[in-house]
Amino acid sequence: MTAPAPTDADLIAAHTAGDPHAFNELVRRHRDRMWAVALRTVRDPEEAADALQDAFISAFRAAANFRAESQVTTWLHRIVVNACLDRVRRRQARPTVPLPENGGNEPAVPRDSMAERETRLVIRQALDELPDEQRVPIVLVDVEGYSVAETARMLDIAEGTVKSRCARGRAKLAKLLGHLRNPGSEGDVPTHESKSGEGR
């Protein structure tokens, strides 16, 4: 019989004990999900790749400090999110113009797939319009499926703060994405009208 695969905690312990392969296995298991989190957080593939590399280096060095009070994935998420937020703060001092989403050499896709891509793009653009303090908790709670308590631990803020930031962010998203629920309706309210109605 083959031995059961080591758990994430086993791999952390083995890495701390000097196993040269354990951390690589941990990265292999979780890289894709951590990459998705990094990309949603910083919204730039190059910045996300750099943040992810920084995060894994930090995790490699800090593994001896890991306490099994939370899951390894929660611990990794917190390191990745913190690395991303560091880059976001640095980038705010040197804002850049995003490149166009549609490249000329993209392969043709069926209409249904194109509609799905367009919907995902609209949602991503709406997320991009949220301030970082609202977007990051929403990504962790609503996209990644973490609990409010886990998100609070990752971001090192109170659970009530997570809830209030998510609530404010969701309210903004509801306005930005209202046309997806009511296509063809009179839902496209001009910006100046929606602003004037906010104080009611």
Side-chain angles (χ1 to χ4, degrees), residues 74-169:
T74 303
W75 174 74
L76 282 175
H77 262 89
R78 180 172 182 175
I79 293 174
V80 170
V81 168
N82 284 336
C84 290
L85 293 179
D86 284 344
R87 289 197 163 265
V88 167
R89 284 189 284 268
R90 275 180 263 165
R91 190 173 61 185
Q92 285 171 348
R94 48 178 180 82
T96 56
V97 178
L99 294 174
E101 288 287 342
N102 297 322
N105 58 351
E106 287 188 4
V109 292
R111 286 186 179 179
D112 288 348
S113 297
M114 183 66 76
E116 289 178 11
R117 284 184 67 229
E118 288 174 354
T119 299
R120 285 198 299 269
L121 179 59
V122 168
I123 292 172
R124 196 172 86 185
Q125 288 173 336
L127 278 170
D128 286 353
E129 292 192 33
L130 298 180
D132 295 325
E133 67 171 17
Q134 294 172 8
R135 188 183 69 258
V136 174
I138 283 179
V139 166
L140 291 172
V141 174
D142 293 343
V143 180
E144 292 299 313
Y146 280 93
S147 68
V148 169
E150 289 172 323
T151 300
R153 284 196 295 272
M154 279 186 243
L155 300 179
D156 197 24
I157 57 179
E159 292 183 26
T161 304
V162 173
K163 291 178 182 177
S164 63
R165 289 180 181 180
C166 284
R168 289 198 298 271

